[in-house]
Amino acid sequence: LKWSGLRRLSPVSFAEALPEQDSEGTSPFPVDRFRPRVAMPQYPEEIEYSEKYADEKYEYRHVILTKAIAKDMYRITACKRLLEEKEWRSLGVQQSYGWVHYEIHRPEPHILLFR
């Protein structure tokens, strides 16, 4: 196997071999293209309650906490466990009796899921 026609490029000549910026002034190799995009959580100004929705077994709703209340929740649980009823009520969440915080949605722990 012959490697004729190939030559080794030094770091300087490799950089020179890269295409220049295009007409819009952007690099042909945008770094952000390879970086995963992480959406910042959207916190409401007041606690928001979803409409109720259901399957064959349960009725559900989700509650979106404000940033300040979410910080209080993080202090209580460190997002490692579900909230007890007295805990979510102490945060200011108001719903009828019988709702249970049943899941932590890791990408958005400031959204409490109830059934």
Side-chain angles (χ1 to χ4, degrees), residues 32-46:
D32 289 340
R33 193 171 103 204
F34 302 106
R35 206 175 283 151
R37 296 195 187 270
V38 178
M40 295 302 292
Q42 299 296 314
Y43 295 98
E45 291 183 25
E46 297 179 357

Side-chain angles (χ1 to χ4, degrees), residues 34-95:
F34 302 106
R35 206 175 283 151
R37 296 195 187 270
V38 178
M40 295 302 292
Q42 299 296 314
Y43 295 98
E45 291 183 25
E46 297 179 357
I47 295 175
E48 290 184 2
Y49 300 86
S50 75
E51 295 294 322
K52 297 173 188 173
Y53 45 99
D55 62 13
E56 306 80 41
K57 191 171 182 179
Y58 294 106
E59 189 172 50
Y60 302 92
R61 84 172 338 162
H62 57 271
V63 176
I64 306 173
L65 302 177
T66 65
K67 190 171 189 173
I69 295 172
K71 285 182 181 182
D72 292 340
M73 183 205 53
Y74 298 148
R75 280 189 217 112
I76 294 170
T77 66
C79 291
K80 299 203 185 286
R81 65 174 179 82
L82 300 173
L83 291 168
E84 300 286 329
E85 183 172 355
K86 67 178 185 172
E87 293 172 324
W88 54 259
R89 287 193 186 279
S90 73
L91 292 172
V93 175
Q94 298 176 356
Q95 338 184 66

